[in-house]
Amino acid sequence: MSLTVVGSIAFDAVKTPFGERERMLGGSAVHFALAASFFSEVRVVGPVGDDFGDAEYAVLRERGVNTDDIERVAGGKTFFWKGEYEWNLNIRHTHVTQLNVFGEFEPKLSNASKAADLLFLANIQPDLQRRVREQCPDVKLAGLDSMNLWIETARDSLVQTIAGVDLLFMNDDEVRMLTQQPTLARAAREIMAMGPRTVVVKQGEYGAALFDEEGFFALPAYPLEAVIDPTGAGDSFAGGFLGYLGSQDGEVDHAGLRRAMTYGSVLASFNVEEFGVERVQRLTREEVEDRYADFRRMTAIEGVPA
Amino acid sequence: MSLTVVGSIAFDAVKTPFGERERMLGGSAVHFALAASFFSEVRVVGPVGDDFGDAEYAVLRERGVNTDDIERVAGGKTFFWKGEYEWNLNIRHTHVTQLNVFGEFEPKLSNASKAADLLFLANIQPDLQRRVREQCPDVKLAGLDSMNLWIETARDSLVQTIAGVDLLFMNDDEVRMLTQQPTLARAAREIMAMGPRTVVVKQGEYGAALFDEEGFFALPAYPLEAVIDPTGAGDSFAGGFLGYLGSQDGEVDHAGLRRAMTYGSVLASFNVEEFGVERVQRLTREEVEDRYADFRRMTAIEGVPA
């Protein structure tokens, strides 16, 4: 099946306790698309400026990502984000956010992008997300990510947008903030009442939890010796997740969602091993499958697979 | 096999967003012993005052816990702790700590307690823990818990004490604080180099992770709709864990540790459903096994058990 992602395409400047990069390819749609590309045909929708060059396109194209709907704005500059992580990588400080071409972005999807089977609305302003969703009435499954900023500044719009998707990705603080419920179980139930059939709660270094009508599934994160740069982990997670679903025929079922969570966790774990997209760029499908097998071993209460 | 626990026996005053109790039975050794009692014969070692009465003894004895080594100090008062949890239950404030009889406590183990197969050193001053450990040279397995206070104020003693145990329980912040390593994988490796064969990292509402020579195992926490009082969760976890190991014949192996982690998680999840020991007091073995089965279902990536 085909998969369209709408989100940011960016240059990031990132400093972590383990090094820094002054300018590297980033953005939610980019991290998502590279991760999803291991499983599905992916189309990226988003704006870039003149400074977005062949080298950047090549990173996407070499992984087979379709870039036809990347809108290049003449005279514009690509979205730029600069941030820094503390020694505790869960704590992030944003130093610079230059929206640039993203400030005027009004998504116009080509027929090919509209015709995708799966749609992912990466973390952008919820009105924009909803207008994208409305352009794709026939998708089999729509997923959405958001952030604390939109919960604080555009809650009503966000709730309306959430009502139109099947699968919500959010981190645990955001899920609590959105619902004002103290436990994830209650928060997830409340979000499902808003519309989505499935709620996936991202928990950073602790893993992820999935709630749907059939119950609960949770996975720890992969126990890495070194986490170099967490930027894009959540989008890589969603990319591996929806990318895997896109590789399956037929209806999405609960068993498929469990495998999708695991592939999402695999891709997120590789993403954070190096800066930006550096690790995923040279990742192989074999490495993906090896780590998937690791996840099965490290989570088995009984009957650990060989 | 038999199991001895040395730790605090207390009265707790606890306030959470869901209610409060002005005086209830608590303490690390109590929570541990009640949880472990579902699997093993448990002996509690610790001091109490005159105010520790028949009702408190009865709670332990009704679960078959041996109280012969509870030292009743004439004219003394039982350890008292008063604390409050925020809406985010991960954040706890201590209002009152009255050591009382615990201030002068010098553990003297009876021959029966010394002869136990397993020993758990609950979170007390590390010099005391070490003197207990030295009284029990023949135990098959010794476990230890500690806290940030001792890492800050008695680090050398704590490291020396850790060297003498097989299994360390600590929460993730403490493991990082102790080792100054940013990832749990590195922190665990460093702790294993200090002595313990197994490191169990408690992650509160996120679950727990186990590191040993054979690899890594992690479990999410049980997705409760309501968490009423987290006090004692870590001790209940350790109690379920070591209690289960005590119920098994022969050497402790990696497969047994995985099941022990799960039983520990089961007991911790019940513990937090109500205040203090209220829930575990009336828990049944059948409920324990049902929740164990829930854990197997909620963690299975493939082949979910019926």
Side-chain angles (χ1 to χ4, degrees):
Chain A
M1 294 196 278
S2 62
L3 170 53
T4 293
V5 53
V6 182
S8 62
I9 302 167
F11 287 114
D12 289 340
V14 174
K15 188 174 179 182
T16 81
F18 310 103
E20 61 185 306
R21 293 288 184 275
E22 287 189 0
R23 182 184 169 87
M24 60 183 182
L25 179 60
S28 56
V30 169
H31 284 287
F32 179 95
L34 291 176
S37 72
F38 286 86
F39 311 96
S40 288
E41 287 175 30
V42 191
R43 303 181 69 93
V44 176
V45 180
V48 298
D50 289 333
D51 51 352
F52 197 83
D54 291 343
E56 286 75 36
Y57 279 109
V59 171
L60 292 164
R61 287 173 184 156
E62 277 168 18
R63 289 253 9 110
V65 174
N66 186 305
T67 59
D68 292 352
D69 277 13
I70 291 183
E71 187 186 342
R72 197 143 185 246
V73 181
K77 279 185 72 181
T78 301
F79 180 87
F80 176 74
W81 178 79
K82 182 175 180 174
E84 184 172 349
Y85 294 83
E86 290 190 11
W87 191 75
N88 175 345
L89 293 164
N90 298 307
I91 304 172
R92 177 167 94 171
H93 305 281
T94 289
H95 294 318
V96 179
T97 303
Q98 294 172 356
L99 287 178
N100 298 332
V101 294
F102 215 75
E104 313 267 290
F105 177 50
E106 184 58 49
K108 292 172 289 291
L109 276 62
S110 68
N111 287 335
S113 285
K114 289 179 192 171
D117 300 289
L118 289 90
L119 173 68
F120 183 64
L121 306 166
N123 169 33
I124 55 177
Q125 210 281 340
D127 294 334
L128 282 185
Q129 290 179 316
R130 206 162 58 253
R131 291 207 285 276
V132 172
R133 179 70 188 88
E134 286 161 0
Q135 291 179 52
C136 307
D138 299 326
V139 293
K140 291 182 185 160
L141 187 144
L144 176 139
D145 188 18
S146 191
M147 71 186 293
N148 49 4
L149 175 68
W150 309 124
I151 299 171
E152 285 161 7
T153 63
R155 190 180 186 284
D156 290 349
S157 172
L158 177 59
V159 169
Q160 209 183 326
T161 306
I162 287 173
V165 302
D166 307 287
L167 210 164
L168 182 79
F169 294 89
M170 254 190 201
N171 76 37
D172 56 336
D173 288 340
E174 291 160 359
V175 156
R176 286 199 174 87
M177 190 188 291
L178 177 65
T179 63
Q180 295 292 308
Q181 291 289 349
T183 64
L184 292 187
R186 282 196 192 173
R189 200 147 45 90
E190 196 159 302
I191 291 170
M192 287 191 271
M194 293 177 186
R197 287 196 305 272
T198 306
V199 176
V200 175
V201 182
K202 299 178 289 180
Q203 299 168 318
E205 63 159 335
Y206 299 109
L210 181 146
F211 296 83
D212 70 2
E213 280 170 14
E214 289 192 50
F216 174 75
F217 172 60
L219 266 186
Y222 193 75
L224 293 168
E225 291 265 331
V227 173
I228 302 301
D229 173 17
T231 313
D235 296 302
S236 301
F237 174 82
F241 192 116
L242 286 187
Y244 172 76
L245 290 183
S247 73
Q248 303 297 296
D249 294 329
E251 291 297 305
V252 170
D253 62 7
H254 182 79
L257 290 171
R258 287 182 181 230
R259 290 192 296 270
M261 274 268 284
T262 311
Y263 280 111
S265 301
V266 166
L267 268 296
S269 74
F270 280 115
N271 179 279
V272 304
E273 285 187 356
E274 296 180 21
F275 277 95
V277 302
E278 291 169 14
R279 182 67 183 91
V280 174
Q281 222 183 312
R282 61 163 208 283
L283 187 63
T284 68
R285 181 66 191 251
E286 193 185 354
E287 289 173 316
V288 169
E289 296 303 334
D290 284 350
R291 192 158 288 183
Y292 183 92
D294 280 347
F295 267 96
R296 288 195 61 198
R297 281 188 285 270
M298 72 189 218
T299 59
I301 293 174
E302 295 184 13
V304 182
Chain B
M1 292 195 281
S2 62
L3 172 51
T4 293
V5 52
V6 182
S8 63
I9 302 168
F11 287 114
D12 289 340
V14 173
K15 187 173 179 182
T16 80
F18 309 103
E20 61 185 306
R21 293 289 183 277
E22 288 190 0
R23 182 185 170 88
M24 62 184 181
L25 179 60
S28 57
V30 169
H31 284 286
F32 178 95
L34 291 176
S37 72
F38 286 87
F39 311 96
S40 288
E41 287 174 31
V42 191
R43 303 181 70 93
V44 176
V45 180
V48 298
D50 288 333
D51 52 351
F52 198 83
D54 291 343
E56 286 76 35
Y57 279 109
V59 171
L60 291 164
R61 287 175 184 155
E62 277 168 18
R63 288 257 5 113
V65 174
N66 186 305
T67 60
D68 293 350
D69 277 12
I70 292 184
E71 187 185 343
R72 200 146 184 244
V73 181
K77 279 185 71 182
T78 301
F79 180 89
F80 177 74
W81 178 80
K82 182 176 181 174
E84 184 171 351
Y85 294 83
E86 290 190 11
W87 191 76
N88 175 346
L89 292 166
N90 298 307
I91 303 172
R92 176 167 95 169
H93 305 282
T94 289
H95 294 319
V96 178
T97 303
Q98 294 171 356
L99 287 179
N100 298 332
V101 294
F102 215 75
E104 313 268 292
F105 178 51
E106 183 58 49
K108 291 172 288 290
L109 275 64
S110 67
N111 286 335
S113 285
K114 289 179 192 171
D117 299 291
L118 290 90
L119 173 67
F120 183 64
L121 305 166
N123 169 33
I124 56 177
Q125 210 282 338
D127 294 333
L128 282 186
Q129 291 179 316
R130 206 164 56 253
R131 289 206 286 274
V132 173
R133 179 70 186 88
E134 287 162 1
Q135 292 179 51
C136 307
D138 299 326
V139 294
K140 290 181 184 160
L141 188 143
L144 177 141
D145 188 17
S146 192
M147 73 186 292
N148 51 4
L149 175 68
W150 309 125
I151 299 171
E152 286 161 6
T153 64
R155 189 180 187 283
D156 290 347
S157 172
L158 177 59
V159 169
Q160 210 183 327
T161 306
I162 288 172
V165 301
D166 307 287
L167 211 163
L168 182 79
F169 294 89
M170 254 190 201
N171 76 36
D172 56 337
D173 288 340
E174 292 160 358
V175 156
R176 286 199 174 87
M177 190 189 290
L178 178 65
T179 62
Q180 297 291 309
Q181 292 290 347
T183 64
L184 292 187
R186 281 195 193 175
R189 201 148 44 91
E190 195 159 303
I191 291 169
M192 286 190 272
M194 294 176 187
R197 287 196 304 271
T198 307
V199 175
V200 175
V201 182
K202 298 178 289 179
Q203 300 168 316
E205 64 160 333
Y206 299 109
L210 182 146
F211 297 83
D212 69 2
E213 279 169 15
E214 288 192 50
F216 174 75
F217 172 60
L219 267 186
Y222 193 75
L224 293 168
E225 292 264 331
V227 173
I228 300 301
D229 173 17
T231 312
D235 296 302
S236 301
F237 173 82
F241 193 117
L242 286 187
Y244 172 75
L245 290 183
S247 73
Q248 302 297 296
D249 295 328
E251 290 298 304
V252 170
D253 63 6
H254 183 79
L257 290 170
R258 288 181 181 232
R259 290 192 296 270
M261 275 268 285
T262 311
Y263 279 112
S265 302
V266 166
L267 268 296
S269 73
F270 281 115
N271 179 279
V272 304
E273 285 187 355
E274 297 181 21
F275 276 95
V277 301
E278 292 169 14
R279 181 67 182 92
V280 173
Q281 222 183 315
R282 60 165 208 282
L283 187 64
T284 67
R285 181 66 191 249
E286 193 184 355
E287 289 173 316
V288 168
E289 295 303 333
D290 283 351
R291 191 158 289 181
Y292 183 92
D294 280 348
F295 267 96
R296 288 195 62 196
R297 281 187 286 271
M298 72 189 217
T299 59
I301 293 174
E302 296 184 11
V304 182

